[in-house]
Amino acid sequence: MSTSRETMLCEFPEDVAAAAAALIHEAQAQAIKARGVFRIALSGGNTPRLLFDRLAREWLDNMKWEKWEVYWTDERSVPSTDEHSNYKLAKDHLLSHVAVKNSFRIPAEANDLHAVVVAYSSTLKKQFASDNPVFDVILLGIGSDGHVASLFPGSPLLESGSLLAVAESDSHAQKRVTFTLRTINKARLILFLVAGERKADAVREVLVNGNYALPAARIDSPYGRVVWIIDKAAASKIT
Ligand code: 6PG
């Protein structure tokens, strides 16, 4: 499948955040006009923090926050107060500063993560009124190993037909709950936020070599746009 990816090259990580914020502003306006609601799934890690801070600081009065529904692409099996929690990252840097009324945390601190997968899948089907939820925006990062969300290279989850799954990775301390490619690749707009030299090899492997062994190379929403927003350091091996 030919993947129609768009690439935006930025100077610095702050510029990546600024470009992503502008695309989100445009997407939320279109979604609210068309469907009366804007549904976004947030990823974790460090890069989104710059975006969250910018949205909370500079877009406070430019978004219709009350029309937003916020979800997560993945969550670590830790309490929501834990520093590794993707929810905590978004809450501290965005949600506690803006008037979002509807956020759907993945309660991955539970013992039975398979039950969490079932419950969160039901929530998606109910909120989207469909067995195939189509997000307006899905935010992704890329690990230096090419993972996205909590889909790691070689994982059997890459072939999963479910909406979500339990990710167990020996190289990562915690178990996780993650969207699958089925859910991610349905989105109207997928934004990759990529910054830093340590991502340069993975970026080249995906964008130049099309290395399908990297989960990030399998993000190819045939239903929408895939936009890679990359800073100079992360793009250093493709330019
Ligand atoms: C997670 C994230 C993960 C992240 C990448 C990049 O829960 O760990 O969803 O997929 O996007 O690891 O993380 P950085 O933005 O910190 O480089």
Side-chain angles (χ1 to χ4, degrees):
M1 178 183 299
S2 68
T3 300
S4 60
R5 294 187 188 96
E6 300 165 52
T7 306
M8 295 176 71
L9 297 184
C10 300
E11 190 77 15
F12 299 112
E14 271 297 341
D15 303 315
V16 170
L23 287 171
I24 289 169
H25 178 251
E26 182 187 326
Q28 66 109 51
Q30 289 171 357
I32 293 165
K33 183 177 177 188
R35 291 172 293 281
V37 61
F38 173 62
R39 297 186 175 111
I40 183 170
L42 309 178
S43 62
N46 300 308
T47 311
R49 181 177 48 76
L50 293 174
L51 168 62
F52 297 159
D53 287 339
R54 180 171 284 263
L55 288 173
R57 193 177 60 238
E58 299 188 17
W59 293 83
L60 207 53
D61 303 325
N62 302 80
M63 303 285 188
K64 294 184 176 175
W65 301 108
E66 71 283 0
K67 298 286 189 183
W68 284 39
E69 290 183 4
V70 176
Y71 302 79
W72 278 263
T73 62
D74 61 330
E75 185 56 276
R76 294 89 178 272
S77 185
V78 295
S80 60
T81 52
D82 187 288
E83 61 173 331
H84 294 109
S85 163
N86 291 344
Y87 168 80
K88 183 181 189 306
L89 175 79
K91 184 169 186 308
D92 291 351
H93 292 273
L94 178 61
L95 298 180
S96 52
H97 305 281
V98 298
V100 165
K101 294 181 171 57
N102 298 298
S103 63
F104 301 84
R105 183 177 76 86
I106 302 176
E109 70 277 9
N111 290 325
D112 184 350
L113 292 183
H114 292 286
V116 171
V117 164
V118 171
Y120 204 81
S121 299
S122 298
T123 297
L124 292 180
K125 290 175 182 177
K126 174 175 173 286
Q127 290 298 124
F128 286 75
S130 167
D131 287 347
N132 292 294
V134 177
F135 282 85
D136 295 300
V137 172
I138 290 186
L139 285 189
L140 294 176
I142 181 172
S144 54
D145 62 355
H147 79 258
V148 290
S150 290
L151 299 170
F152 297 96
S155 169
L157 298 184
L158 291 166
E159 311 310 328
S160 168
S162 305
L163 293 179
L164 293 97
V166 177
E168 309 193 34
S169 161
D170 52 6
S171 57
H172 290 76
Q174 308 103 1
K175 285 186 181 181
R176 294 143 173 254
V177 171
T178 184
F179 279 10
T180 60
L181 294 176
R182 168 186 165 186
T183 302
I184 295 170
N185 279 339
K186 286 263 189 320
R188 294 184 178 89
L189 173 60
I190 296 170
L191 296 181
F192 271 98
L193 277 60
V194 189
E197 174 72 33
R198 71 185 186 88
K199 306 298 178 72
D201 287 327
V203 166
R204 186 193 61 238
E205 279 306 301
V206 173
L207 296 186
V208 176
N209 299 338
N211 184 343
Y212 228 56
L214 275 62
R218 299 180 59 168
I219 301 300
D220 53 8
S221 178
Y223 306 93
R225 297 170 64 193
V226 180
V227 181
W228 285 69
I229 311 175
I230 311 173
D231 79 344
K232 185 170 58 175
S236 57
K237 295 187 177 177
I238 64 169
T239 51

